[in-house]
Amino acid sequence: MILITFIFILERLLLQPTTLPIEKVAFYAYFSSNVPTSGAAHHILNFDTVITNVGNAYFPHSGTFIAPRSGIYVFTWTIRENGNNYHTTELLVNNKVVNSIHMNPASMIDAGSTGTAVVNINQGDDVLVRTGSAHNSGMIMSNEFGRSSFAGWILG
């Protein structure tokens, strides 16, 4: 009985896929440190520390996700602020704003704001987070007390 159980477990382990199927797409990245934005409007946020990049579709140097396949995707981003720093950030798909968030912690509060969008994306579409056209000042915070981040994944 023990030998049969061992063989069954061994067969099951050997049958496990060694790579993820190509249809899996997911990424998660965050800022490695605080990011000065100089109050710039439409400044693309390049989340430089990549933790997950299944499908290799997130490009940290440009801050852009380029969809490797069509489908319904979930995107979420978190911006952390403190002190007199404040920002409006926008999620864009093919240069069209699909969601935005604003954070103004007003003096001594340390807080974060998160935006989420569920969108139908076509293969080759690009998705990014940028600062808004107004209400941007100071640093976006990202350190051991909390990370500013960007993530996305395909449903199904």
Side-chain angles (χ1 to χ4, degrees), residues 21-95:
I22 192 70
E23 64 269 2
K24 300 287 184 186
V25 180
F27 74 95
Y28 169 70
Y30 64 81
F31 287 134
S32 60
S33 62
N34 298 338
V35 177
T37 63
S38 306
H42 301 156
H43 172 79
I44 296 172
L45 302 178
N46 303 355
F47 297 87
D48 62 334
T49 302
V50 179
I51 302 300
T52 303
N53 198 4
V54 178
N56 295 314
Y58 176 71
F59 300 91
H61 297 304
S62 66
T64 304
F65 169 81
I66 300 175
R69 60 183 280 240
S70 299
I72 303 296
Y73 285 79
V74 177
F75 296 98
T76 184
W77 76 106
T78 299
I79 302 298
R80 197 174 138 248
E81 305 279 6
N82 71 1
N84 292 318
N85 300 307
Y86 55 89
H87 289 86
T88 297
T89 56
E90 304 169 329
L91 179 75
L92 280 78
V93 176
N94 292 332
N95 294 318

Side-chain angles (χ1 to χ4, degrees), residues 5-24:
T5 302
F6 176 75
I7 292 172
F8 175 74
I9 291 172
L10 185 59
E11 285 177 351
R12 190 178 57 163
L13 289 173
L14 291 174
L15 293 175
Q16 296 295 318
T18 56
T19 61
L20 292 171
I22 192 70
E23 64 269 2
K24 300 287 184 186

Side-chain angles (χ1 to χ4, degrees), residues 82-138:
N82 71 1
N84 292 318
N85 300 307
Y86 55 89
H87 289 86
T88 297
T89 56
E90 304 169 329
L91 179 75
L92 280 78
V93 176
N94 292 332
N95 294 318
K96 180 182 176 189
V97 176
V98 296
N99 197 0
S100 63
I101 58 174
H102 178 74
M103 170 58 71
N104 185 351
S107 191
M108 302 312 275
I109 297 171
D110 188 339
S113 182
T114 298
T116 304
V118 179
V119 262
N120 189 17
I121 301 289
N122 294 314
Q123 183 176 5
D125 286 355
D126 60 90
V127 182
L128 57 89
V129 177
R130 72 177 186 191
T131 57
S133 59
H135 307 294
N136 299 295
S137 178

